[in-house]
PDB file of all heavy atoms in Angstrom:
ATOM      1  N   GLY L 160      24.428  -2.349 -11.676  1.00 95.00           N
ATOM      2  CA  GLY L 160      23.110  -2.687 -11.153  1.00 95.00           C
ATOM      3  C   GLY L 160      22.974  -4.186 -10.946  1.00 95.00           C
ATOM      4  O   GLY L 160      22.424  -4.644  -9.930  1.00 95.00           O
ATOM      5  N   GLY L 161      23.510  -4.951 -11.903  1.00 93.00           N
ATOM      6  CA  GLY L 161      23.458  -6.404 -11.797  1.00 93.00           C
ATOM      7  C   GLY L 161      24.226  -6.905 -10.586  1.00 93.00           C
ATOM      8  O   GLY L 161      23.726  -7.730  -9.807  1.00 93.00           O
ATOM      9  N   ALA L 162      25.430  -6.365 -10.400  1.00 93.00           N
ATOM     10  CA  ALA L 162      26.269  -6.791  -9.276  1.00 93.00           C
ATOM     11  C   ALA L 162      25.607  -6.419  -7.948  1.00 93.00           C
ATOM     12  O   ALA L 162      25.589  -7.213  -6.993  1.00 93.00           O
ATOM     13  CB  ALA L 162      27.644  -6.143  -9.392  1.00 93.00           C
ATOM     14  N   MET L 163      25.033  -5.217  -7.890  1.00 93.00           N
ATOM     15  CA  MET L 163      24.374  -4.773  -6.661  1.00 93.00           C
ATOM     16  C   MET L 163      23.193  -5.672  -6.316  1.00 93.00           C
ATOM     17  O   MET L 163      23.047  -6.131  -5.170  1.00 93.00           O
ATOM     18  CB  MET L 163      23.852  -3.331  -6.830  1.00 93.00           C
ATOM     19  CG  MET L 163      24.909  -2.261  -6.765  1.00 93.00           C
ATOM     20  SD  MET L 163      25.868  -2.313  -5.250  1.00 93.00           S
ATOM     21  CE  MET L 163      24.692  -1.592  -4.115  1.00 93.00           C
ATOM     22  N   ALA L 164      22.369  -5.945  -7.324  1.00 92.00           N
ATOM     23  CA  ALA L 164      21.180  -6.764  -7.079  1.00 92.00           C
ATOM     24  C   ALA L 164      21.592  -8.170  -6.644  1.00 92.00           C
ATOM     25  O   ALA L 164      21.024  -8.739  -5.709  1.00 92.00           O
ATOM     26  CB  ALA L 164      20.319  -6.831  -8.330  1.00 92.00           C
ATOM     27  N   GLY L 165      22.614  -8.719  -7.351  1.00 90.00           N
ATOM     28  CA  GLY L 165      23.095 -10.058  -7.010  1.00 90.00           C
ATOM     29  C   GLY L 165      23.546 -10.119  -5.568  1.00 90.00           C
ATOM     30  O   GLY L 165      23.251 -11.073  -4.830  1.00 90.00           O
ATOM     31  N   ASP L 166      24.238  -9.068  -5.132  1.00 90.00           N
ATOM     32  CA  ASP L 166      24.777  -9.018  -3.780  1.00 90.00           C
ATOM     33  C   ASP L 166      23.658  -8.844  -2.748  1.00 90.00           C
ATOM     34  O   ASP L 166      23.559  -9.578  -1.776  1.00 90.00           O
ATOM     35  CB  ASP L 166      25.768  -7.854  -3.690  1.00 90.00           C
ATOM     36  CG  ASP L 166      26.686  -8.006  -2.483  1.00 90.00           C
ATOM     37  OD1 ASP L 166      27.328  -9.070  -2.378  1.00 90.00           O
ATOM     38  OD2 ASP L 166      26.706  -7.068  -1.658  1.00 90.00           O
ATOM     39  N   LEU L 167      22.776  -7.883  -3.016  1.00 91.00           N
ATOM     40  CA  LEU L 167      21.696  -7.578  -2.070  1.00 91.00           C
ATOM     41  C   LEU L 167      20.767  -8.765  -1.859  1.00 91.00           C
ATOM     42  O   LEU L 167      20.312  -9.031  -0.753  1.00 91.00           O
ATOM     43  CB  LEU L 167      20.876  -6.389  -2.572  1.00 91.00           C
ATOM     44  CG  LEU L 167      21.519  -5.013  -2.401  1.00 91.00           C
ATOM     45  CD1 LEU L 167      20.640  -3.941  -3.035  1.00 91.00           C
ATOM     46  CD2 LEU L 167      21.731  -4.717  -0.917  1.00 91.00           C
ATOM     47  N   LEU L 168      20.494  -9.491  -2.931  1.00 88.00           N
ATOM     48  CA  LEU L 168      19.555 -10.603  -2.839  1.00 88.00           C
ATOM     49  C   LEU L 168      20.253 -11.913  -2.474  1.00 88.00           C
ATOM     50  O   LEU L 168      19.623 -12.966  -2.445  1.00 88.00           O
ATOM     51  CB  LEU L 168      18.803 -10.773  -4.157  1.00 88.00           C
ATOM     52  CG  LEU L 168      17.963  -9.559  -4.589  1.00 88.00           C
ATOM     53  CD1 LEU L 168      17.346  -9.769  -5.954  1.00 88.00           C
ATOM     54  CD2 LEU L 168      16.878  -9.274  -3.562  1.00 88.00           C
ATOM     55  N   GLY L 169      21.569 -11.838  -2.267  1.00 84.00           N
ATOM     56  CA  GLY L 169      22.314 -13.029  -1.884  1.00 84.00           C
ATOM     57  C   GLY L 169      22.456 -14.050  -2.997  1.00 84.00           C
ATOM     58  O   GLY L 169      22.603 -15.243  -2.748  1.00 84.00           O
TER      59      GLY L 169
END
Side-chain angles (χ1 to χ4, degrees):
Chain L
M163 284 304 284
D166 198 55
L167 284 176
L168 299 175

